[in-house]
């Protein structure tokens, strides 16, 4: 007969920042401001990429998908977090927790893979410019995006099914502000070493493997840029990559520290701060990075806003 404290609970308590209650109101206000900003920024990137014919290229097709992913990624976390910060009852149902974990890891895994695809696109554009339109044609771009979504969904489903097939012991309090793998795994009964190994392998596949592809792509890009005879050509090539490199650094840096460092070095406080960074801050910064560091996007935004002003005053 199973012990009484071993079960599938009806709900979990999200402790969030209960140990620092003075943080809750400022964090609620900050999220209430940054979440709409992140949504509007990403919607602006999507609309501009669709409306301006000059941005109808593989690079902006992938950027549109990245913006959509960022919106979904943040939305899987922030509304529930705002609700919990604004109420005294900080709970989430068992099924709601599973759904949140599933969508969070679909979006996170897909974004890792999409960033690798975007680096490959830059590699082809800079290292094989004469064959770019042939290699990165519309069918290939759609196939690449469909593949990364399929892989993200598969990994997300596998991880969620595996974690929620475990039994949970004791008070079902998740020491986090959303349902993520490490804090949920901490509630599992018995020896969880095999489960931790499975999560680590999945993290390697979704984080490290795409990151190695990004490093390989930019290694080839750097080698090609260094031998370019024209300083203007070098500057243009580097400027098209700088935005993507900055986004990769922000996203992979915080994600790698969270999922790939040893369990013994995990700290709930640090994990929460990192999670805030890669779930909210990067989603808000990505449109800013691409619009400020990309001349084509800035021109398209000014053109689109100019048209709206003319229509408004006309």
């Amino acid at each position: 007969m199973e012990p009484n404290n071993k079960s599938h609970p009806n709900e979990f308590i999200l402790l969030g920042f209960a140990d620092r209650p003075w943080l809750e109101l400022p964090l609620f206000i900050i999220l209430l401001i940054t979440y709409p900003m992140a949504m509007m920024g990403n919607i602006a990137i999507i609309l501009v990429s669709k409306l301006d014919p000059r941005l109808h290229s593989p690079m902006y097709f992938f950027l549109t998908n990245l913006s959509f992913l960022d919106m979904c990624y943040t939305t899987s976390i922030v509304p529930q977090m705002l609700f919990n910060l604004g109420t005294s009852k900080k709970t989430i149902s068992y099924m709601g927790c599973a759904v949140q974990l599933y969508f969070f890891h679909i979006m996170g895994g897909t974004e890792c893979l999409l960033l690798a695809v975007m680096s490959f696109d830059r590699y082809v554009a800079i290292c094989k410019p004469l064959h770019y339109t042939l290699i990165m044609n519309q069918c290939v771009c759609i196939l690449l995006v469909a593949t990364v979504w399929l892989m993200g969904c598969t990994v997300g489903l596998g991880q969620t099914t595996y974690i929620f097939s475990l039994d949970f012991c004791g008070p079902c309090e998740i020491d986090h502000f959303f349902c993520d793998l490490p804090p949920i795994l901490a509630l599992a009964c018995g020896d969880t070493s095999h489960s931790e190994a499975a999560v680590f392998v999945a993290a390697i596949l979704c984080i490290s493997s795409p990151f190695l592809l990004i490093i390989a792509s930019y290694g080839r890009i750097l080698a090609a840029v260094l031998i370019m005879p024209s300083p203007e050509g070098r500057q243009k090539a580097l400027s098209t990559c700088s935005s993507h490199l900055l986004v990769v650094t922000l996203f992979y840096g915080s994600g790698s520290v969270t999922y790939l460092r040893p369990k013994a070095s995990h700290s709930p406080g640090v994990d929460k701060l990192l999670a805030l960074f890669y779930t909210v801050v990067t989603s808000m910064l990505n449109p800013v990075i691409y619009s400020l560091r990309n001349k084509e996007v800035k021109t398209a935004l000014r053109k689109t806003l100019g048209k709206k002003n003319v229509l408004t005053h006309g």
Side-chain angles (χ1 to χ4, degrees):
M1 198 168 168
E2 290 185 342
N4 291 330
N5 65 345
K6 183 178 179 181
S7 63
H8 293 298
N10 292 324
E11 64 182 18
F12 293 98
I13 298 169
L14 291 166
L15 295 178
F17 297 91
D19 56 335
R20 296 176 179 85
W22 53 271
L23 264 178
E24 293 192 346
L25 181 59
L27 190 56
F28 180 84
I29 294 169
I30 290 168
L31 287 175
L32 208 57
I33 296 168
T34 56
Y35 178 59
M37 286 175 63
M39 293 296 104
M40 288 188 292
N42 283 297
I43 289 169
I45 291 289
I46 292 170
L47 289 177
V48 166
S49 298
K50 293 295 182 185
L51 294 174
D52 195 313
R54 291 171 297 179
L55 303 185
H56 292 175
S57 67
M59 177 181 171
Y60 296 102
F61 173 70
F62 296 133
L63 179 57
T64 299
N65 277 273
L66 179 67
S67 294
F68 177 71
L69 262 173
D70 279 336
M71 290 169 62
C72 296
Y73 192 56
T74 307
T75 301
S76 69
I77 302 300
V78 175
Q80 175 72 42
M81 188 179 175
L82 282 169
F83 178 78
N84 286 348
L85 287 169
T87 61
S88 57
K89 188 182 180 183
K90 305 179 188 303
T91 59
I92 186 169
S93 68
Y94 180 84
M95 185 56 68
C97 189
V99 169
Q100 186 181 64
L101 181 71
Y102 174 57
F103 280 104
F104 176 72
H105 280 278
I106 282 178
M107 303 308 162
T110 303
E111 184 154 340
C112 286
L113 295 164
L114 183 61
L115 289 172
V117 168
M118 292 174 77
S119 68
F120 174 73
D121 171 68
R122 292 299 82 208
Y123 158 72
V124 177
I126 293 169
C127 298
K128 300 180 183 295
L130 299 178
H131 301 95
Y132 180 67
T133 54
L134 181 65
I135 296 171
M136 301 302 293
N137 60 63
Q138 188 177 21
C139 290
V140 169
C141 292
I142 292 171
L143 181 62
L144 285 170
V145 168
T147 301
V148 299
W149 272 100
L150 179 61
M151 291 176 69
C153 290
T154 303
V155 171
L157 179 61
Q159 287 186 313
T160 305
T161 304
Y162 181 69
I163 291 299
F164 280 87
S165 66
L166 302 173
D167 289 306
F168 299 99
C169 299
C172 291
E173 298 177 342
I174 298 174
D175 194 6
H176 216 312
F177 56 83
F178 71 100
C179 293
D180 199 8
L181 285 173
I184 294 176
L185 196 54
L187 304 178
C189 300
D191 181 15
T192 60
S193 57
H194 293 298
S195 302
E196 289 163 15
V199 169
F200 186 77
V201 169
I204 289 287
L205 291 173
C206 287
I207 298 175
S208 297
S209 300
F211 187 65
L212 290 174
L213 290 173
I214 292 170
I215 294 295
S217 296
Y218 277 104
R220 297 293 297 273
I221 288 169
L222 183 60
V225 167
L226 289 175
I227 61 172
M228 284 182 178
S230 164
E232 292 79 10
R234 286 197 296 270
Q235 185 177 358
K236 184 178 179 181
L238 290 173
S239 68
T240 63
C241 299
S242 58
S243 301
H244 182 250
L245 270 175
L246 187 52
V247 169
V248 167
T249 303
L250 292 172
F251 185 77
Y252 271 95
S254 52
S256 298
V257 173
T258 300
Y259 293 103
L260 295 179
R261 76 184 195 273
K263 183 185 176 183
S265 64
H266 274 260
S267 162
V270 173
D271 287 349
K272 290 171 194 176
L273 289 174
L274 286 170
L276 272 176
F277 191 83
Y278 63 73
T279 57
V280 181
V281 177
T282 56
S283 182
M284 184 183 70
L285 287 179
N286 285 357
V288 177
I289 291 167
Y290 275 104
S291 59
L292 290 180
R293 298 185 65 86
N294 190 303
K295 192 179 291 185
E296 290 176 321
V297 173
K298 282 194 287 187
T299 304
L301 277 169
R302 282 197 294 266
K303 183 181 174 185
T304 303
L305 291 173
K307 280 183 178 178
K308 286 185 178 179
N309 288 333
V310 169
L311 289 172
T312 304
H313 292 96

